[in-house]
Amino acid sequence: MPATSAGVPPQYSSAMDAVRKTVASEGLFGGLYKGMGAPLATVAVFNAVLFATNGFMQGTMRSLTDRSELNASEATVCGGVTGIAAAIVATPTELIKCRLQAQISGAAVSYSGPVDVARSVLAARGIGGLYKGFVATLLREIPGNALYFGCYEACKSAFVRARGLTSKSELGAAELMVSGAAAGLGFWAGVYPTDVIKTKIQTDSESAPRYRGIADCTRQLFRQGGWGALYRGVGPCLARAVPANAVCFLVYELCAERFHAHLI
């Protein structure tokens, strides 16, 4: 839930209140899935870039260390570098999604859909307009993906030790899903305030901007609501991260195993 101006009561009192009011005013799919066109259209590209870049980095790291499996620290470094590529893909997609989601039902609608957002931004600001908030996205993606892939490998290593296995390839689906869930929690718990700031910057007015940059946005949010303003909505975000990333990593590992089997 977004932070509000000083002295103005928040639009929603809790996550469930936000769900009830959104569904009542905009419907189930129109409200809860607002702004999902752009992420859905590009999720395959984003995950392909994310996992391909990380795979390349891990392959390079294995060559440098002359080991078949990386430890958590090495995976963390690879994840951090992966975050650079992730930010390049994520920034325009996130900008489109955030601007659509920021529209309030009943108010004058600025955009009719993802394509309309992209067309409007390109006409007004050019390609650079789609990369508004790029630095903030970098500050989210680099440490976030360092935690993401680092937590994943750390959790898998813990399962290997606990079960007395010799390789991470011996882990089952349940352990991979738990490791993926831990990765998702690690990402969002570590960078959620940065994501709030990024969203504020990307949805800021073009004609009369409220924020002069990342530092100014952070100061204003903190002045309005302290740490709570930077963590508002973190509960639903973490609840979503668990199943989403459990499934994501399981599917990735199964696909990687199949591709590897066909290549041998």
Side-chain angles (χ1 to χ4, degrees):
M1 289 173 286
T4 56
S5 301
V8 178
Q11 185 178 2
Y12 309 113
S13 60
S14 66
M16 289 309 300
D17 183 52
V19 171
R20 283 193 298 269
K21 289 181 178 178
T22 300
V23 172
S25 63
E26 303 182 54
L28 179 62
F29 290 100
L32 298 184
Y33 289 89
K34 181 191 289 183
M36 287 307 297
L40 284 175
T42 58
V43 66
V45 175
F46 176 79
N47 281 320
V49 171
L50 182 74
F51 285 99
T53 303
N54 189 68
F56 172 78
M57 290 306 304
Q58 290 202 2
T60 303
M61 185 68 78
R62 282 193 292 270
S63 297
L64 292 174
T65 59
D66 198 26
R67 292 199 311 273
S68 60
E69 294 186 348
L70 303 181
N71 59 37
S73 298
E74 292 159 346
T76 298
V77 173
C78 294
V81 177
T82 298
I84 299 172
I88 294 171
V89 179
T91 302
T93 303
E94 293 261 322
L95 182 137
I96 293 169
K97 180 194 73 172
C98 290
R99 291 198 176 185
L100 285 173
Q101 290 179 337
Q103 292 183 153
I104 301 172
S105 178
V109 177
S110 299
Y111 309 109
S112 60
V115 175
D116 187 42
V117 178
R119 186 187 299 117
S120 176
V121 172
L122 285 171
R125 301 285 178 177
I127 191 67
L130 289 175
Y131 277 87
K132 181 178 181 179
F134 177 65
V135 174
T137 307
L138 268 179
L139 293 177
R140 183 190 72 174
E141 293 295 330
I142 293 176
N145 281 292
L147 288 167
Y148 191 57
F149 290 103
C151 287
Y152 183 64
E153 293 300 330
C155 197
K156 288 202 298 181
S157 295
F159 278 124
V160 168
R161 291 192 298 271
R163 292 187 53 195
L165 303 177
T166 58
S167 171
K168 294 174 185 175
S169 62
E170 299 175 65
L171 295 174
E175 291 138 333
L176 293 175
M177 291 183 75
V178 171
S179 299
L185 287 173
F187 182 103
W188 287 109
V191 301
Y192 190 80
T194 310
D195 183 68
V196 171
I197 294 164
K198 175 203 72 70
T199 300
K200 284 291 185 182
I201 290 173
Q202 288 189 318
T203 57
D204 198 11
S205 170
E206 295 286 358
S207 57
R210 181 177 180 182
Y211 308 111
R212 295 191 301 272
I214 295 172
D216 181 56
C217 182
T218 304
R219 280 193 298 270
Q220 290 194 44
L221 288 175
F222 197 80
R223 191 181 305 122
Q224 290 166 14
W227 287 107
L230 296 174
Y231 281 94
R232 186 169 291 140
V234 69
C237 177
L238 294 179
R240 177 199 66 191
V242 170
N245 290 285
V247 173
C248 179
F249 270 103
L250 176 62
V251 172
Y252 166 73
E253 292 285 8
L254 291 176
C255 290
E257 182 182 344
R258 290 292 180 89
F259 281 127
H260 183 68
H262 282 295
L263 290 173
I264 296 178

